[in-house]
PDB file of all heavy atoms in Angstrom:
ATOM      1  N   GLY A 687     -38.652  53.583  26.818  1.00  0.00           N
ATOM      2  CA  GLY A 687     -37.571  53.671  25.852  1.00  0.00           C
ATOM      3  C   GLY A 687     -37.184  52.319  25.297  1.00  0.00           C
ATOM      4  O   GLY A 687     -36.969  52.156  24.091  1.00  0.00           O
ATOM      5  N   TYR A 688     -37.090  51.325  26.170  1.00  0.00           N
ATOM      6  CA  TYR A 688     -36.762  49.978  25.709  1.00  0.00           C
ATOM      7  C   TYR A 688     -37.859  49.447  24.780  1.00  0.00           C
ATOM      8  O   TYR A 688     -37.567  48.766  23.785  1.00  0.00           O
ATOM      9  CB  TYR A 688     -36.603  49.021  26.892  1.00  0.00           C
ATOM     10  CG  TYR A 688     -35.499  49.390  27.863  1.00  0.00           C
ATOM     11  CD1 TYR A 688     -35.420  48.777  29.119  1.00  0.00           C
ATOM     12  CD2 TYR A 688     -34.536  50.354  27.554  1.00  0.00           C
ATOM     13  CE1 TYR A 688     -34.413  49.096  30.024  1.00  0.00           C
ATOM     14  CE2 TYR A 688     -33.536  50.685  28.450  1.00  0.00           C
ATOM     15  CZ  TYR A 688     -33.486  50.054  29.682  1.00  0.00           C
ATOM     16  OH  TYR A 688     -32.497  50.373  30.570  1.00  0.00           O
ATOM     17  N   ALA A 689     -39.106  49.737  25.117  1.00  0.00           N
ATOM     18  CA  ALA A 689     -40.224  49.283  24.283  1.00  0.00           C
ATOM     19  C   ALA A 689     -40.150  49.908  22.892  1.00  0.00           C
ATOM     20  O   ALA A 689     -40.389  49.240  21.877  1.00  0.00           O
ATOM     21  CB  ALA A 689     -41.552  49.628  24.951  1.00  0.00           C
ATOM     22  N   ILE A 690     -39.813  51.204  22.831  1.00  0.00           N
ATOM     23  CA  ILE A 690     -39.693  51.869  21.531  1.00  0.00           C
ATOM     24  C   ILE A 690     -38.600  51.220  20.699  1.00  0.00           C
ATOM     25  O   ILE A 690     -38.788  50.910  19.521  1.00  0.00           O
ATOM     26  CB  ILE A 690     -39.394  53.374  21.734  1.00  0.00           C
ATOM     27  CG1 ILE A 690     -40.616  54.092  22.309  1.00  0.00           C
ATOM     28  CG2 ILE A 690     -38.974  54.027  20.414  1.00  0.00           C
ATOM     29  CD1 ILE A 690     -40.345  55.531  22.695  1.00  0.00           C
ATOM     30  N   LEU A 691     -37.429  51.009  21.306  1.00  0.00           N
ATOM     31  CA  LEU A 691     -36.293  50.498  20.554  1.00  0.00           C
ATOM     32  C   LEU A 691     -36.554  49.084  20.040  1.00  0.00           C
ATOM     33  O   LEU A 691     -36.288  48.776  18.872  1.00  0.00           O
ATOM     34  CB  LEU A 691     -35.035  50.517  21.421  1.00  0.00           C
ATOM     35  CG  LEU A 691     -34.508  51.911  21.792  1.00  0.00           C
ATOM     36  CD1 LEU A 691     -33.332  51.805  22.743  1.00  0.00           C
ATOM     37  CD2 LEU A 691     -34.118  52.689  20.544  1.00  0.00           C
ATOM     38  N   PHE A 692     -37.086  48.214  20.900  1.00  0.00           N
ATOM     39  CA  PHE A 692     -37.326  46.844  20.453  1.00  0.00           C
ATOM     40  C   PHE A 692     -38.424  46.798  19.390  1.00  0.00           C
ATOM     41  O   PHE A 692     -38.301  46.091  18.384  1.00  0.00           O
ATOM     42  CB  PHE A 692     -37.702  45.944  21.626  1.00  0.00           C
ATOM     43  CG  PHE A 692     -37.987  44.525  21.208  1.00  0.00           C
ATOM     44  CD1 PHE A 692     -36.942  43.667  20.903  1.00  0.00           C
ATOM     45  CD2 PHE A 692     -39.289  44.055  21.105  1.00  0.00           C
ATOM     46  CE1 PHE A 692     -37.187  42.357  20.495  1.00  0.00           C
ATOM     47  CE2 PHE A 692     -39.552  42.759  20.706  1.00  0.00           C
ATOM     48  CZ  PHE A 692     -38.486  41.898  20.408  1.00  0.00           C
ATOM     49  N   THR A 693     -39.497  47.544  19.593  1.00  0.00           N
ATOM     50  CA  THR A 693     -40.589  47.558  18.616  1.00  0.00           C
ATOM     51  C   THR A 693     -40.095  48.080  17.275  1.00  0.00           C
ATOM     52  O   THR A 693     -40.412  47.524  16.214  1.00  0.00           O
ATOM     53  CB  THR A 693     -41.750  48.420  19.118  1.00  0.00           C
ATOM     54  OG1 THR A 693     -42.172  47.952  20.402  1.00  0.00           O
ATOM     55  CG2 THR A 693     -42.926  48.366  18.158  1.00  0.00           C
ATOM     56  N   ALA A 694     -39.299  49.151  17.302  1.00  0.00           N
ATOM     57  CA  ALA A 694     -38.763  49.701  16.057  1.00  0.00           C
ATOM     58  C   ALA A 694     -37.833  48.708  15.374  1.00  0.00           C
ATOM     59  O   ALA A 694     -37.850  48.577  14.141  1.00  0.00           O
ATOM     60  CB  ALA A 694     -38.018  51.003  16.346  1.00  0.00           C
ATOM     61  N   TYR A 695     -37.024  48.014  16.151  1.00  0.00           N
ATOM     62  CA  TYR A 695     -36.115  47.003  15.592  1.00  0.00           C
ATOM     63  C   TYR A 695     -36.915  45.968  14.798  1.00  0.00           C
ATOM     64  O   TYR A 695     -36.549  45.613  13.666  1.00  0.00           O
ATOM     65  CB  TYR A 695     -35.344  46.339  16.730  1.00  0.00           C
ATOM     66  CG  TYR A 695     -34.331  45.293  16.315  1.00  0.00           C
ATOM     67  CD1 TYR A 695     -32.987  45.625  16.159  1.00  0.00           C
ATOM     68  CD2 TYR A 695     -34.702  43.969  16.103  1.00  0.00           C
ATOM     69  CE1 TYR A 695     -32.041  44.671  15.797  1.00  0.00           C
ATOM     70  CE2 TYR A 695     -33.767  43.007  15.734  1.00  0.00           C
ATOM     71  CZ  TYR A 695     -32.444  43.363  15.594  1.00  0.00           C
ATOM     72  OH  TYR A 695     -31.527  42.409  15.237  1.00  0.00           O
ATOM     73  N   MET A 696     -38.010  45.495  15.372  1.00  0.00           N
ATOM     74  CA  MET A 696     -38.802  44.469  14.699  1.00  0.00           C
ATOM     75  C   MET A 696     -39.549  45.043  13.495  1.00  0.00           C
ATOM     76  O   MET A 696     -39.616  44.405  12.435  1.00  0.00           O
ATOM     77  CB  MET A 696     -39.789  43.846  15.690  1.00  0.00           C
ATOM     78  CG  MET A 696     -39.140  43.236  16.930  1.00  0.00           C
ATOM     79  SD  MET A 696     -37.831  42.040  16.557  1.00  0.00           S
ATOM     80  CE  MET A 696     -38.813  40.660  16.004  1.00  0.00           C
ATOM     81  N   PHE A 697     -40.099  46.256  13.625  1.00  0.00           N
ATOM     82  CA  PHE A 697     -40.841  46.860  12.522  1.00  0.00           C
ATOM     83  C   PHE A 697     -39.910  47.207  11.363  1.00  0.00           C
ATOM     84  O   PHE A 697     -40.347  47.218  10.205  1.00  0.00           O
ATOM     85  CB  PHE A 697     -41.568  48.131  12.994  1.00  0.00           C
ATOM     86  CG  PHE A 697     -42.951  47.882  13.511  1.00  0.00           C
ATOM     87  CD1 PHE A 697     -43.160  47.307  14.754  1.00  0.00           C
ATOM     88  CD2 PHE A 697     -44.065  48.232  12.774  1.00  0.00           C
ATOM     89  CE1 PHE A 697     -44.431  47.079  15.247  1.00  0.00           C
ATOM     90  CE2 PHE A 697     -45.347  48.011  13.247  1.00  0.00           C
ATOM     91  CZ  PHE A 697     -45.534  47.434  14.495  1.00  0.00           C
ATOM     92  N   GLN A 698     -38.666  47.527  11.661  1.00  0.00           N
ATOM     93  CA  GLN A 698     -37.715  47.884  10.608  1.00  0.00           C
ATOM     94  C   GLN A 698     -37.031  46.660   9.999  1.00  0.00           C
ATOM     95  O   GLN A 698     -36.264  46.794   9.053  1.00  0.00           O
ATOM     96  CB  GLN A 698     -36.656  48.851  11.153  1.00  0.00           C
ATOM     97  CG  GLN A 698     -37.230  50.206  11.504  1.00  0.00           C
ATOM     98  CD  GLN A 698     -36.240  51.146  12.149  1.00  0.00           C
ATOM     99  OE1 GLN A 698     -36.487  52.351  12.237  1.00  0.00           O
ATOM    100  NE2 GLN A 698     -35.127  50.644  12.635  1.00  0.00           N
TER     101      GLN A 698
END
Side-chain angles (χ1 to χ4, degrees):
Y688 299 167
I690 290 173
L691 293 175
F692 179 77
T693 305
Y695 182 96
M696 303 307 286
F697 270 75
Q698 292 175 165

